[in-house]
Amino acid sequence: MKLTLRVWRQKNADADGTMSTYEVDGIAKDMSFLEMLDTLNESLILSGEDPVAFDHDCREGICGACSLVINGEAHGPERTTTCQLHMRAFSDGDTIDIEPWRASAFPVVKDLVVDRGAFDRIIQSGGYITAPTGAAPEAHATAVPKPAADTAFEHAECIGCGACVAACPNGSAMLFTSAKVNHLGVLPQGAPERESRVLDMVERMDAEGFGGCTLTGECATACPKGIPLFSITRMNREFVRAARKRG
Amino acid sequence: MEGCVLTVGLMAALDTRTDRRPSFAGLLWGSTVGKKTAMAVSGIVMLLYLVVHMLGNLKIFFGAGTFDGYAAWLRTIGEPFLHHEWFLWIARVVLVAAVVTHAVAAYQLSRRDIAARPVKYARPSPGRHPRWRRFAPPLSRRRRASYATRTMRWGGIILGLFIVWHILDLTTLTVNPHAAPGHPYANVVATFSTWYGDVIYIVAMLALGLHVRHGFWSAAQTLGAGSAARDRALKTTAHALALLLTAGFISVPVAVMTGLVS
């Protein structure tokens, strides 16, 4: 496959960026999208140019490091992570636009790499449970009802990649925040901080400069892990409940 | 020394105390999530009013006597407990409070939303631009924000302007071509006998339908009433409300235009 790539190049956080055009040839349909970028970078290095910086780690869809907006869609045209997207989703001769996550809370570090530290700070503000350290507790010490376990697991699938923020027209982090609030909130282990968690995490989310939710549904459509839009509904309910009790 | 340690310990304990939060109202108005709650509640207040308003409007099909009589009766609700027109003024105060809350929250949240996403993507996502969608690869995910969702802000502004015109036209009669106090039937017919009166009204009612369609469902999510199991029922209700309100309101200018009401 021969492709034309239009890639966002930005030297550093303060520099102005621009879309640069590159031609890549010899791309196999079975290559992953990141392997295609590796091919581009090899040719850039050989010709003495600066390779394109992009985030990646596990390359098996579980770490949440990869973060590219491909043709205007977070993680590209399939419902998966960029690393699990394969070139067979494209055709020979295609022009592909590759951009970083766009949100003021996710400043560009270089090229396609953005700083997602805001997510870490949201987690720090309440995405934890209080548990004694030491030996692992007896697994059956706390009974977890099956529906609660299912709901918790559904929300625990979030890998914190930030596709929800990238896809949202308001740059909102509601889906990410609600995934963690619900994951821990429905479990008995998370019950002691149930109220303070949602209040603190929403406060942090707002302080980081993320936008509000207008329920466009773009986030849940982009989410590679299928966190449902109703996760946000559930967090809204939790927030009002906690505000009434004042955490 | 021991006292010093104790003081430090106490200070740390105070630092981590979580019972020093703002009031319930403060928590709501101070956060994006809570501000949406205020928008949802004020929106539902206005929506309930609109249903009653639309049903009341339909009295125009029973003739001038019935319609004018209904308008006069509205001023007597609650008598003798309430004085003449008091109920009407209470309703007006509640409605103005709802409109102001809704608009201020929308303005503040919109400014924040726009600031949170300052850079647009070079190629817009296919779902949001139907013209491009036709050329999207077959594997492309679909279902994106609907037209109603994307027009909430402009729709809201149109409705806000319409309310001003509507009050000047049929409440204060400032811009009404007939302007006869106490004769709402004749005033309504006069307004809808002008082409601009019909155009403004019909455009605004179409905007209302779109706004209610996304707004009702959205309010349900904001208030935490939505779920996968209940989604179909909520969406159907939103569609039905939007359709009934728009059709009900538009039936009046259409009836005047066709001569059914004159």
Side-chain angles (χ1 to χ4, degrees), chain B residues 154-236:
Chain B
W154 278 109
I157 292 168
I158 289 173
L159 288 173
L161 294 173
F162 168 75
I163 292 170
V164 173
W165 178 80
H166 193 54
I167 289 171
L168 289 177
D169 182 34
L170 291 169
T171 307
T172 65
L173 305 175
T174 318
V175 298
N176 191 282
H178 188 68
H183 298 281
Y185 185 91
N187 295 332
V188 168
V189 171
T191 290
F192 292 138
S193 299
T194 63
W195 66 267
Y196 59 85
D198 291 320
V199 170
I200 294 174
Y201 195 84
I202 290 172
V203 166
M205 290 310 107
L206 293 174
L208 173 73
L210 287 171
H211 205 77
V212 167
R213 209 191 99 182
H214 180 70
F216 176 79
W217 177 84
S218 206
Q221 309 308 319
T222 302
L223 298 175
S227 69
R230 218 179 286 161
D231 200 45
R232 185 177 284 265
L234 281 173
K235 282 213 168 98
T236 308

Side-chain angles (χ1 to χ4, degrees), chain B residues 4-66:
Chain B
C4 187
V5 171
L6 190 69
T7 315
V8 171
L10 261 178
M11 280 168 69
L14 285 175
D15 278 349
T16 53
R17 281 181 68 165
T18 52
D19 57 353
R20 297 174 166 218
R21 298 204 189 262
S23 63
F24 178 59
L27 272 171
L28 288 193
W29 195 253
S31 76
T32 52
V33 175
K35 213 166 261 186
K36 281 295 295 263
T37 311
M39 279 190 79
V41 172
S42 55
I44 287 172
V45 168
M46 291 188 279
L47 186 58
L48 288 174
Y49 165 77
L50 282 178
V51 171
V52 176
H53 185 16
M54 188 272 287
L55 293 175
N57 282 6
L58 297 182
K59 292 217 176 277
I60 202 156
F61 292 102
F62 296 95
T66 310

Side-chain angles (χ1 to χ4, degrees), chain A residues 69 71-74 76-79 95 97 99-100 102-104 166-170 174 196 199-200 202 205-206 209-218 221 229-230 233 236-237 239-240 243-244 246-247, chain B residues 18 21-24 27-28 30-34 36-37 112-113 115-126 128 137 139-145 149 153 214 217-218 221-222 224-228 231:
Chain A
V69 170
N71 288 343
E73 293 188 279
E78 287 180 17
R79 195 187 185 116
T95 299
D97 288 355
E99 293 169 85
R102 298 286 192 198
S104 48
C168 177
N170 310 323
M174 286 283 278
S196 62
L199 294 178
D200 289 339
V202 167
M205 176 184 85
D206 287 348
F210 291 105
C213 179
T214 51
L215 290 152
T216 64
E218 307 269 356
T221 313
L229 186 60
F230 300 112
T233 310
N236 288 334
R237 190 163 60 225
F239 182 87
V240 174
R244 265 209 325 268
R246 284 203 258 161
Chain B
T18 52
R21 298 204 189 262
S23 63
F24 178 59
L27 272 171
L28 288 193
S31 76
T32 52
V33 175
K36 281 295 295 263
T37 311
R112 187 191 168 86
D113 294 347
R117 186 58 190 282
V119 187
K120 292 212 179 332
Y121 291 113
R123 189 181 319 193
S125 93
R128 257 179 285 149
L139 285 167
S140 188
R141 305 177 291 234
R142 17 85 314 70
R143 203 219 91 83
R144 285 295 166 95
T149 309
R153 285 180 190 140
H214 180 70
W217 177 84
S218 206
Q221 309 308 319
T222 302
S227 69
D231 200 45

Side-chain angles (χ1 to χ4, degrees), chain A residues 46-136:
Chain A
L46 284 176
S47 61
E49 285 182 63
D50 196 19
V52 178
F54 61 90
D55 267 328
H56 61 103
D57 192 16
C58 74
R59 296 208 179 196
E60 53 186 18
I62 57 168
C63 77
C66 56
S67 54
L68 302 178
V69 170
I70 302 159
N71 288 343
E73 293 188 279
H75 292 306
E78 287 180 17
R79 195 187 185 116
T80 184
T81 54
T82 300
C83 61
Q84 293 295 295
L85 174 68
H86 291 82
M87 295 315 292
R88 62 184 84 98
F90 301 91
S91 316
D92 189 32
D94 274 0
T95 299
I96 305 174
D97 288 355
I98 309 169
E99 293 169 85
W101 285 172
R102 298 286 192 198
S104 48
F106 285 166
V108 174
V109 177
K110 187 184 180 188
D111 295 340
L112 302 170
V113 178
V114 297
D115 178 2
R116 282 171 283 183
F119 268 15
D120 297 336
R121 292 187 288 275
I122 292 176
I123 293 293
Q124 279 167 6
S125 70
Y128 53 81
I129 61 161
T130 305
T133 54

